[in-house]
Amino acid sequence: MSGPATGQDITLQAGDTAQIHIPVKDDAGNYVDLSGIQRARWWLGKSAKATGADVYLKKDSNSTMVCDDGVTRNQVEWEAFETDKWRLVVHLKGADTETGVSPIPKTGASYYHEAEIVDADGNIATVSTGSAELVASIVRNL
């Protein structure tokens, strides 16, 4: 596997439950078989160089969470969604993006997100990078 898919921009509605689907492909555009990976991680932060408190969300396939529907899932999962097509699925609860509840400082700003996988041999590969925007919700009066 080589470089990440760049420009994988996402928009999140503040306070909404969400699943982020990240297709993982090689340089030729072919889906990468993820059945043998041992770990996947996804982070959202202030910028690509963010550290400490400027990394707002960290999701890891080695950690579980109780989702808003009451089901316990890994924070990041990988799945085959069609024959030979694989993707990462990042689970977000409403509280992950709710302004005033989550560590994300405000709506209307552009943030950075990144996903990586660790294969069976321990090799780390960044598979997706892009911007993320958190959009205000009138229903929640944000």
Side-chain angles (χ1 to χ4, degrees):
M1 175 170 262
S2 52
T6 59
Q8 302 296 301
D9 303 334
I10 58 173
T11 301
L12 301 168
Q13 192 73 31
D16 278 5
T17 302
Q19 289 184 343
I20 300 168
H21 296 111
I22 301 170
V24 180
K25 298 180 180 182
D26 62 20
D27 285 339
N30 300 309
Y31 284 88
V32 175
D33 184 341
L34 301 178
S35 61
I37 69 171
Q38 60 174 292
R39 187 176 196 180
R41 295 182 282 240
W42 178 86
W43 287 15
L44 178 128
K46 184 175 183 176
S47 69
K49 296 182 183 226
T51 61
D54 287 337
V55 177
Y56 307 127
L57 293 175
K58 295 179 181 180
K59 299 293 181 174
D60 192 316
S61 63
N62 287 351
S63 298
T64 60
M65 63 188 276
V66 178
C67 295
D68 288 337
D69 62 3
V71 176
T72 300
R73 295 182 176 90
N74 291 69
Q75 294 174 347
V76 180
E77 299 176 308
W78 50 91
E79 67 179 12
F81 64 98
E82 291 180 19
T83 304
D84 298 327
K85 292 184 179 179
W86 289 82
R87 64 184 174 194
L88 299 180
V89 180
V90 180
H91 297 283
L92 299 176
K93 299 186 334 180
D96 287 332
T97 60
E98 184 87 40
T99 304
V101 176
S102 82
I104 301 172
K106 62 182 177 178
T107 59
S110 181
Y111 301 104
Y112 172 82
H113 75 97
E114 181 175 304
E116 68 180 18
I117 60 173
V118 181
D119 70 16
D121 295 323
N123 298 309
I124 299 170
T126 301
V127 295
S128 178
T129 66
S131 67
E133 182 181 2
L134 184 62
V135 179
S137 170
I138 193 169
V139 173
R140 292 177 195 84
N141 196 24
L142 302 175

